[in-house]
Amino acid sequence: MQSNSPEGPRHSWWKWSVPIAVLVLLAAGAGGVVAQRFYGSEPVPTSVPGIAMEQNSELADIEFTPDAQAHPDHADVRWTLQMHFNAINMRRYETWKATVVAAKQQQLPEDKWLEEYSTTRDAAVKVHRIEPGPKDSLRILMTFVSTQNPNDAPTGMRASCLRWRVVYPMVVDSGAFRLDTSSLPGSALAVPC
């Protein structure tokens, strides 16, 4: 004898809901395995690469020793160096111009600058010391690594990777620190990595 109670149909549906849910989960899992085999097993990126990601990957890493960090102008020096090296890595001539003195800008107009830095990537920048220079200027003692096409490396140093030891003069020009990378003869030494 069948029961006409309201509990009957609900109990019947509940009895089948758990097995149906298990079947749905198994089918979804099997579908994922099939899709992975069909489309390949390459990992799926967690975000879509865009301009911001590309720019961030080109940011130069700037490190300061404790001695350099203690200098009262270290924040301004960091800002100038960050802009300078990022401009080189991202091929941003106008940004680079804002980090160097006018004489350096005239030595390297945009077409020549783009040619000289077309394959350059600077990294591992480390400021070791910040020393006073003449007329309120600074001397930045630092190291960095440049990678480039060997044909684009400086004459006499045709290597794809160079470790640089440099002293860059930094002056206040138009109210901001700017690099004067050409005024100290013998202030840049490089060896192949």
Side-chain angles (χ1 to χ4, degrees):
M1 179 168 180
Q2 287 187 339
S3 168
N4 288 337
S5 74
E7 292 289 308
R10 188 182 318 158
H11 178 68
S12 176
W13 177 85
W14 179 250
K15 182 170 97 176
W16 288 104
S17 64
V18 172
I20 290 172
V22 169
L23 282 173
V24 168
L25 289 173
L26 287 173
V33 170
V34 169
Q36 183 179 15
R37 286 186 182 164
F38 182 76
Y39 292 111
S41 60
E42 292 295 316
V44 178
T46 56
S47 63
V48 178
I51 293 173
M53 281 182 68
E54 290 173 358
Q55 288 177 350
N56 287 341
S57 68
E58 299 299 324
L59 295 179
D61 181 27
I62 310 263
E63 182 183 348
F64 278 63
T65 64
D67 181 61
Q69 184 80 23
H71 193 279
D73 292 315
H74 81 274
D76 292 329
V77 169
R78 179 186 298 276
W79 174 257
T80 302
L81 292 175
Q82 191 74 64
M83 296 297 289
H84 180 79
F85 286 107
N86 290 350
I88 291 170
N89 291 348
M90 292 188 270
R91 314 295 181 255
R92 301 277 173 93
Y93 180 73
E94 290 301 317
T95 302
W96 175 84
K97 273 178 51 174
T99 68
V100 297
V101 295
K104 188 66 175 175
Q105 295 171 24
Q106 292 169 358
Q107 288 175 358
L108 283 175
E110 186 170 8
D111 57 341
K112 185 176 179 183
W113 185 86
L114 288 170
E115 182 181 328
E116 286 196 17
Y117 290 107
S118 64
T119 63
T120 300
R121 170 96 168 87
D122 292 325
V125 180
K126 185 169 186 176
V127 177
H128 297 274
R129 290 190 60 82
I130 302 172
E131 297 285 338
K135 298 181 183 176
D136 296 326
S137 67
L138 298 174
R139 298 287 185 250
I140 313 302
L141 291 76
M142 55 190 280
T143 55
F144 65 95
V145 174
S146 72
T147 56
Q148 61 278 315
N149 181 314
N151 294 329
D152 295 334
T155 305
M157 294 184 270
R158 301 295 185 193
S160 61
C161 180
L162 293 169
R163 291 188 186 278
W164 291 88
R165 294 170 87 58
V166 299
V167 178
Y168 280 167
M170 193 172 276
V171 298
V172 176
D173 182 19
S174 303
F177 277 111
R178 294 178 189 252
L179 293 167
D180 184 1
T181 57
S182 60
S183 64
L184 293 176
S187 62
L189 301 171
V191 295
C193 300

